[in-house]
Amino acid sequence: MDNDPVTLTRDVEAAVIPIGEKVTLQKGEQARITQSLGGSYTVVVNGNMFRIEGRDADALGITPAAKPEATGAPVSQEKLEKEVWNQLRSCYDPEIPVNIVDLGLIYDCHLEPVEAGIHKVDVKMTLTAPGCGMGPMLAQDVQSKLLNLEGIDDVTVELVWDPPWNQGMMTEAAKLQLGLL
């Protein structure tokens, strides 16, 4: 990733990492992008770390990604389930460059038909630490990404703490990526 600072082109809402508190970063401030995974951006401004949502990428001088167009074609439950897991893999902890599935944060994901072509998704997930203030933001990220899928009409994301997360829940790829193998 290019480590050159960018100048914010407008005021932008951001979340302080790791507490999740919303703040406004000011136009003209210098930001260094440290992570741009899953459609959001982790930046450092004045020595503090923040998360900026993808819809606000223009404040960083980046063109926001276009939403996929709905086709209206029916999707099989099997294909939709695969898409759900793909979307979950596009969610990242803002401090760790590994998706939440490979981190072992998704404990359960259940897809249930509600009516023809419409499904409900229930997700049980945890965090790497119970006191992490980014939990509600990660849960919202999961919910938003799943609701953007055609054929998903309702998403419930429940944060659970049992069993407590530990590094043994990560995939081998995640451990390798983080230098734990």
Side-chain angles (χ1 to χ4, degrees):
M1 165 160 296
D2 182 6
N3 230 359
D4 293 335
V6 297
T7 302
L8 296 177
T9 61
R10 64 173 175 85
D11 291 357
V12 62
E13 184 179 87
V16 180
I17 298 171
I19 60 174
E21 180 182 326
K22 298 282 187 181
V23 297
T24 300
L25 300 176
Q26 302 298 308
K27 176 181 178 177
E29 287 187 296
Q30 296 290 300
R32 188 174 308 275
I33 302 171
T34 61
Q35 181 171 293
S36 61
L37 298 169
S40 64
Y41 300 87
T42 300
V43 300
V44 174
V45 176
N46 297 324
N48 297 304
M49 193 176 286
F50 303 91
R51 175 182 161 135
I52 296 175
E53 295 299 325
R55 67 177 175 272
D56 291 318
D58 65 299
L60 297 167
I62 299 168
T63 304
K67 281 189 173 182
E69 292 291 321
T71 63
V75 179
S76 71
Q77 181 155 340
E78 182 180 328
K79 184 173 184 199
L80 192 54
E81 202 163 304
K82 186 176 180 177
E83 272 307 303
V84 164
W85 283 99
N86 286 339
Q87 286 302 307
L88 291 173
R89 284 185 185 88
S90 76
C91 296
Y92 288 82
D93 181 302
E95 296 178 283
I96 305 171
V98 175
N99 71 68
I100 63 174
V101 173
D102 288 343
L103 273 177
L105 300 182
I106 302 298
Y107 285 175
D108 186 48
C109 179
H110 181 73
L111 189 65
E112 183 179 321
V114 176
E115 59 184 71
I118 303 295
H119 293 79
K120 173 185 181 194
V121 181
D122 289 309
V123 176
K124 286 187 175 150
M125 66 178 285
T126 195
L127 304 173
T128 57
C132 177
M134 298 303 288
M137 186 170 289
L138 281 172
Q140 180 62 50
D141 195 23
V142 166
Q143 185 178 44
S144 296
K145 287 185 177 191
L146 296 182
L147 283 171
N148 278 335
L149 289 175
E150 200 169 344
I152 302 292
D153 197 40
D154 184 23
V155 176
T156 302
V157 180
E158 181 183 354
L159 285 175
V160 297
W161 308 108
D162 190 33
W165 180 86
N166 65 69
Q167 289 183 1
M169 296 172 167
M170 296 189 321
T171 64
E172 297 241 341
K175 290 177 186 174
L176 188 62
Q177 186 173 354
L178 295 174
L180 300 174
L181 280 182

